[in-house]
Amino acid sequence: MTQPVLNRIVAGPPRPGHHISFRGAGPTETYPLPELYDLAGRVALHLQRRGLRRGDRIGILARNSLEWVLLDLAALRLGVMTAGFEAGKFTPDRTLLDDYGLALLFTDEDSTAPGVLPMAEARRWALDDLTGTLPAVSYEPDDETTLKFTSGSTGTPKGLAATAGSIDSSLNAVQEMFAHGPGDELFVFLPLSLLQQRYWVYSALAFGHDLTISTYAAALPALRRTRPTVVMGVPAFYELAKRHIQAHTSDASEAERPEALRRAAQRLFGERIRYLWTGSAPAGPAMLGFFTSCGLPIYEGYGMNETCIVTKNHPGAAREGSVGQVVTGKTVLLDEHGNISVRSDFPVNRRYRYAAPGASERVFAPDGTVRTGDVGHLDADGFLYITGRADDVIALGNGRNVTVRPLEDALRQSPAIDECVLFSPDGGELVAVVSAAHPVPDEEAIAAQLKTANAQAAPHERISRAVVASEPFSIDNGLLSSQYKPLRTKIRAAYAAELADAGHGIAA
């Protein structure tokens, strides 16, 4: 029987020949994977010296870095649970340690609170010549290894303790589809506080491939320097890359344009791309088609914090408009209304660790089956199609229901629109709140796209006007989640006055 992935990476050093790199604003740091294993072992010895034992918990509130990876791997080597906190949503103070039962909190933010250590301390430990013996650690499927947080639109993020079995199951399902290995270099830039991004560190150690870690802010320049074979990104990143490529081909004639786009895409992504990975938020058909036409295969998938990966398009099994076939270890269940639930052979968990009363019961069935809140259908070949969320259906005052996702996708096809969300403030008209793609919004182009979208919509689905956001939706202003999904409730609250004013905005 194959050794579980997590047990494989804590049992001993990985085979030589592969490396991990960190590319940000400063110089690139590169380490062979066996050296990474040794450095993490020294960090683990220091944690052990401080009294941490299996079942204890440390927190990490920081940007992507070598230290982040070392602390995570050191915790795995000790059986210590990690809690990855998203910058901007948490404050590195004593309250955070007390609220989440942390023995220590590591951060790259300023703090003098007791129990809070700078990330630089982990680097100092890694370079220390401390020697000692670490305990032999292995994981059973139900063992909880890390605390992750949902990116919900309201209230305090819900904590969810991920099990070793769910991590192993997801890693093996991905490996079955994509066979990452020698010759591959995966490019990762989303926050390591998102457990899914740490999967690629575990994958490199277990399956033997290279890995480059960057940040969202540095992603495009780092990408050009990396020349990866695989890029792990969300739709918002690929929309940004699409605009970048288009901007560098604006002088090409109509006849030259297809080839010019392919060359510009290759200059940005490099000539080694095997495929592009996207998920975490709906991907627009125009964006997916753009990269395919540029010779860069892009595969959309579907999952959520509570389920991890559920479906994925992949080489030899991809279907336009779908989010892929159900992966090994998962079962998709549909009720008569198309509401999607997911059953896992190895559930992420069966409850939230930190949440308001009743939150766990609304999402988790007793056996761990997750009510996703999404609506969709499976075709005859098992490809899943997501048509929206149950709460993304707007009930109009005339009794008609409008599913907003296709209408929002139609608006996003304009280069002038970065993101948009639809509302019906009075139960009658539909109004879009638009995050413009440029510092000075191109109102003429936005109006033209409204007209185009309305021409394709049924009469009750037509958008009457667009409110242009005063600043782009972002993580910093709280209108995008850490995975760059628009947070509808917060956007509606931020633009309540503009939505209510029938004379405000760009008329269709």
Side-chain angles (χ1 to χ4, degrees):
M1 183 176 177
T2 304
Q3 187 179 24
V5 177
L6 289 186
N7 288 344
R8 198 184 319 172
I9 67 176
V10 301
R15 59 179 180 267
H18 304 287
H19 68 266
I20 184 169
S21 296
F22 299 86
R23 295 190 191 275
T28 298
E29 295 185 271
T30 298
Y31 300 87
L33 292 183
E35 183 179 351
L36 182 77
Y37 179 87
D38 290 342
L39 294 173
R42 294 178 193 172
V43 175
L45 285 169
H46 274 277
L47 290 173
Q48 183 175 251
R49 175 175 283 188
R50 281 178 166 263
L52 271 80
R53 299 292 184 267
R54 184 159 195 159
D56 291 335
R57 188 181 302 170
I58 63 170
I60 308 172
L61 172 58
R63 293 160 295 181
N64 291 358
S65 63
L66 167 67
E67 293 88 341
W68 220 121
V69 173
L70 292 177
L71 286 165
D72 185 58
L73 295 178
L76 282 175
R77 298 272 293 274
L78 289 172
V80 168
M81 180 181 265
T82 55
F85 297 102
E86 181 186 342
K89 286 193 175 179
F90 299 90
T91 302
D93 56 17
R94 188 68 218 181
T95 299
L96 189 64
L97 280 86
D98 293 341
D99 285 350
Y100 294 102
L102 307 179
L104 293 171
L105 173 67
F106 294 84
T107 184
D108 57 7
E109 301 179 16
D110 292 334
S111 178
T112 58
V116 179
L117 298 176
M119 293 293 280
E121 191 74 352
R123 181 177 291 260
R124 187 182 69 78
W125 291 348
L127 299 177
D128 195 355
D129 58 0
L130 181 68
T131 59
T133 303
L134 294 173
V137 169
S138 64
Y139 291 94
E140 296 298 321
D142 286 339
D143 288 343
E144 297 173 344
T145 71
T146 190
L147 185 66
K148 58 181 180 175
F149 296 90
T150 67
S151 54
S153 59
T154 59
T156 303
K158 296 185 286 292
L160 185 66
T163 62
S166 70
I167 296 171
D168 281 337
S169 178
S170 295
L171 283 166
N172 285 321
V174 169
Q175 189 66 9
E176 181 182 308
M177 292 182 287
F178 292 101
H180 300 134
D184 273 324
E185 178 149 7
L186 276 60
F187 182 76
V188 173
F189 56 85
L190 293 175
L192 292 171
S193 57
L194 303 172
L195 174 60
Q196 298 92 319
Q197 304 311 304
R198 281 175 270 156
Y199 282 3
W200 311 120
V201 178
Y202 308 157
S203 173
L205 292 165
F207 303 121
H209 59 75
D210 296 334
L211 178 69
T212 291
I213 294 177
S214 186
T215 64
Y216 197 97
L220 288 184
L223 182 59
R224 285 191 290 268
R225 294 160 57 200
T226 301
R227 326 306 280 180
T229 62
V230 180
V231 177
M232 303 293 177
V234 290
F237 168 76
Y238 292 113
E239 294 286 1
L240 175 66
K242 175 186 170 184
R243 290 195 296 272
H244 177 91
I245 293 165
Q246 289 172 327
H248 284 75
T249 58
S250 57
D251 295 336
S253 68
E254 196 65 29
E256 296 170 334
R257 191 162 178 75
E259 182 57 31
L261 288 170
R262 281 192 288 272
R263 289 197 302 268
Q266 188 175 88
R267 284 195 298 271
L268 179 59
F269 283 86
E271 68 287 345
R272 298 202 305 144
I273 289 294
R274 184 155 73 89
Y275 76 93
L276 308 177
W277 170 296
T278 191
S280 300
M287 181 273 286
L288 296 171
F290 174 83
F291 283 101
T292 299
S293 70
C294 289
L296 300 175
I298 183 166
Y299 297 107
E300 186 178 11
Y302 169 71
M304 52 194 297
N305 267 316
E306 291 81 355
T307 63
C308 202
I309 186 171
V310 176
T311 66
K312 189 71 181 177
N313 284 296
H314 59 93
R319 188 156 294 176
E320 184 177 350
S322 82
V323 290
Q325 290 178 315
V326 181
V327 304
T328 301
K330 296 291 195 301
T331 303
V332 167
L333 308 170
L334 300 170
D335 69 11
E336 65 273 20
H337 303 294
N339 293 300
I340 299 169
S341 293
V342 176
R343 180 178 297 146
S344 303
D345 290 351
F346 298 96
V348 172
N349 213 301
R350 292 173 171 81
R351 62 183 177 88
Y352 294 115
R353 181 63 68 89
Y354 299 95
S360 292
E361 290 75 12
R362 284 192 294 272
V363 173
F364 296 97
D367 65 350
T369 295
V370 173
R371 306 174 187 96
T372 69
D374 291 311
V375 178
H377 66 272
L378 289 163
D379 69 12
D381 297 316
F383 286 88
L384 180 65
Y385 296 77
I386 305 295
T387 55
R389 286 191 60 78
D391 54 5
D392 287 349
V393 176
I394 294 176
L396 300 177
N398 60 9
R400 305 296 292 271
N401 290 336
V402 176
T403 302
V404 300
R405 178 174 167 182
L407 302 175
E408 293 168 348
D409 286 343
L411 290 182
R412 290 189 196 99
Q413 292 184 35
S414 169
I417 297 174
D418 188 28
E419 190 56 86
C420 64
V421 182
L422 279 181
F423 302 100
S424 180
D426 60 0
E429 65 171 353
L430 291 174
V431 182
V433 179
V434 168
S435 178
H438 309 293
V440 178
D442 186 342
E443 294 192 1
E444 185 176 335
I446 293 171
Q449 193 63 30
L450 278 174
K451 183 176 180 181
T452 299
N454 282 341
Q456 301 167 353
H460 70 282
E461 296 176 331
R462 289 172 187 161
I463 303 161
S464 65
R465 57 190 169 96
V467 171
V468 179
S470 56
E471 61 177 338
F473 302 163
S474 69
I475 293 174
D476 289 341
N477 63 25
L479 301 185
L480 291 181
S481 75
S482 57
Q483 299 186 57
Y484 296 86
K485 299 177 188 177
L487 299 177
R488 294 179 183 275
T489 303
K490 292 188 176 181
I491 293 168
R492 180 163 195 154
Y495 292 96
E498 293 87 343
L499 286 165
D501 182 357
H504 186 94
I506 300 170

